[in-house]
Amino acid sequence: MKYLSFAAGLFVATTAVAETPVLTVYTYDSFVSDWGPGPAVKAAFEETCNCELNLVGAGDGAALLARIKLEGARSDADVVLGLDTNLTAAAADSGLFAEHGQTVTVDVPNPFGETGTWSDANFLPFDWGYFAFVYDNTKLETAPTSFDELAASDLKIVIQDPRSSTPGLGLLLWVKEQYGDDAPKMWEALSDNIVTVTKGWSESYGLFLEGEADMVLSYTTSPAYHIVAEEDVSKSAAAFDSHYMQIEVAGKLANTDQNELADQFLSFMVSDAFQSIIPTTNWMYPAITPAAGLPDAFAAPVGPEQARLIAPADVPAIRDEALAEWSAALSQ
């Protein structure tokens, strides 16, 4: 009888574990790192969902879309978190994403109109920031204030590949938006400054911290990490005459077999519980300002008059031309 009771109990426990739903979210590598938002997001969501949140690192942001397209309807992902508005048009055109059905008011600056209700039917924002070149202010007293000054200097920089990295793609479009038909000339001028092009942000920032370059393409909020987490004020973001914005988003896969759970996660993503995690783990501005506010280190060095962003629908055509110009200039 004791054996039968034990076996019955084991069966019930095993069945309960087997029936726990799993939500799989593809995201970028730094999000799931020990120091990224992933661990805190997983713990907070699992407290409310009666599920297991499976966060899968899949390279850098731009690599996420390539993987989803490759896997197609066979993908194990239910949600993709880490695309940005430079990729949303291509992602929507793939037919692999479903509408989120949510109405959200955000605090993301909108270069195309008033800040407020989010209008993309397929993708919801979770954070945003401005791209910038970060440097060590103990080694570089005066930083360049434009691409022209940077190109005229002998400073060495590390950037990311626009084919695999969302910051790399952001830089590509930043240069194209500012210089238009003269973008190829700017890339030719910058080519002598570029030490290397990495696949993703983590690799390039690591090279910068190791002293392999004077500056690295990152964000205006990157110094906040060093200030808050390390009490180190030696890192600064160079203030240029313009800064390209990044708005990071998440979307639900149309073929998910966890539709309600995916909707629950997207709703959680724009809640204070998730948004309050973002500033001091992902080191970006949250899409919706947390009730507790932001650390003082997040004081914006960039004003709205300096913000640049290409409309998502216009990006695909511009990207192809800009990528060809970039590739040609750096291969010479």
Side-chain angles (χ1 to χ4, degrees):
M1 291 294 293
K2 289 183 178 180
Y3 173 77
L4 291 177
S5 297
F6 172 78
L10 181 62
F11 174 79
V12 170
T14 303
T15 302
V17 171
E19 292 178 351
T20 300
V22 177
L23 184 74
T24 298
V25 177
Y26 283 5
T27 185
Y28 44 81
D29 290 342
S30 63
F31 194 94
V32 300
S33 66
D34 291 341
W35 48 266
V41 167
K42 176 178 172 66
F45 185 60
E46 288 181 349
E47 285 183 2
T48 66
C49 71
N50 190 30
C51 72
E52 177 187 347
L53 179 60
N54 179 30
L55 294 170
V56 178
D60 212 342
L64 290 172
L65 182 56
R67 176 166 174 174
I68 288 297
K69 284 184 174 180
L70 180 64
E71 294 178 350
R74 298 174 287 104
S75 178
D76 292 330
D78 302 298
V79 172
V80 174
L81 182 152
L83 305 180
D84 66 15
T85 56
N86 294 327
L87 295 169
T88 51
D93 286 346
S94 73
L96 297 172
F97 291 87
E99 294 190 1
H100 54 72
Q102 301 193 41
T103 300
V104 179
T105 300
V106 298
D107 298 318
V108 180
N110 183 1
F112 313 115
E114 295 183 2
T115 298
T117 303
W118 184 254
S119 59
D120 192 313
N122 292 98
F123 301 97
L124 285 170
F126 64 93
D127 68 14
W128 64 280
Y130 297 105
F131 293 118
F133 285 94
V134 172
Y135 64 97
D136 187 327
N137 57 48
T138 66
K139 299 177 180 179
L140 182 62
E141 293 184 1
T142 303
T145 59
S146 67
F147 284 110
D148 294 275
E149 288 186 11
L150 175 57
S153 75
D154 59 359
L155 295 172
K156 298 304 178 184
I157 64 174
V158 181
I159 64 172
Q160 299 90 39
D161 193 324
R163 295 164 295 189
S164 57
S165 164
T166 50
L169 179 57
L171 176 61
L172 185 81
L173 297 173
W174 183 3
V175 171
K176 188 63 176 175
E177 193 279 337
Q178 183 164 345
Y179 291 94
D181 292 340
D182 290 330
K185 295 180 181 178
M186 177 49 62
W187 281 117
E188 290 173 10
L190 287 170
S191 62
D192 290 339
N193 302 90
I194 299 171
V195 174
T196 190
V197 179
T198 65
K199 186 176 181 179
W201 174 87
S202 297
E203 300 96 319
S204 59
Y205 206 82
L207 289 173
F208 163 69
L209 293 179
E210 292 167 5
E212 297 297 322
D214 300 303
M215 308 181 81
V216 59
L217 177 67
S218 193
Y219 299 87
T220 61
T221 48
S222 295
Y225 162 76
H226 299 282
I227 295 170
V228 175
E230 302 176 337
E231 298 183 352
D232 175 8
V233 296
S234 68
K235 306 302 185 291
S236 298
F240 274 25
D241 46 8
S242 75
H243 288 266
Y244 197 85
M245 287 181 60
Q246 181 181 45
I247 304 172
E248 294 194 297
V249 300
K252 176 177 65 173
L253 274 296
N255 71 317
T256 176
D257 58 1
Q258 297 288 349
N259 190 63
E260 292 184 4
L261 199 54
D263 286 341
Q264 185 180 346
F265 178 81
L266 291 176
S267 180
F268 167 76
M269 188 185 74
V270 292
S271 72
D272 195 73
F274 181 105
Q275 292 290 298
S276 62
I277 293 171
I278 290 297
T280 55
T281 56
N282 218 34
W283 305 99
M284 297 278 280
Y285 294 106
I288 301 169
T289 305
L294 297 172
D296 292 340
F298 276 75
V302 174
E305 69 280 356
Q306 295 165 278
R308 301 290 185 270
L309 185 67
I310 296 174
D314 296 335
V315 168
I318 296 173
R319 175 188 178 277
D320 291 343
E321 179 182 3
L323 186 57
E325 294 168 351
W326 174 86
S327 181
L330 268 60
S331 63
Q332 292 180 2

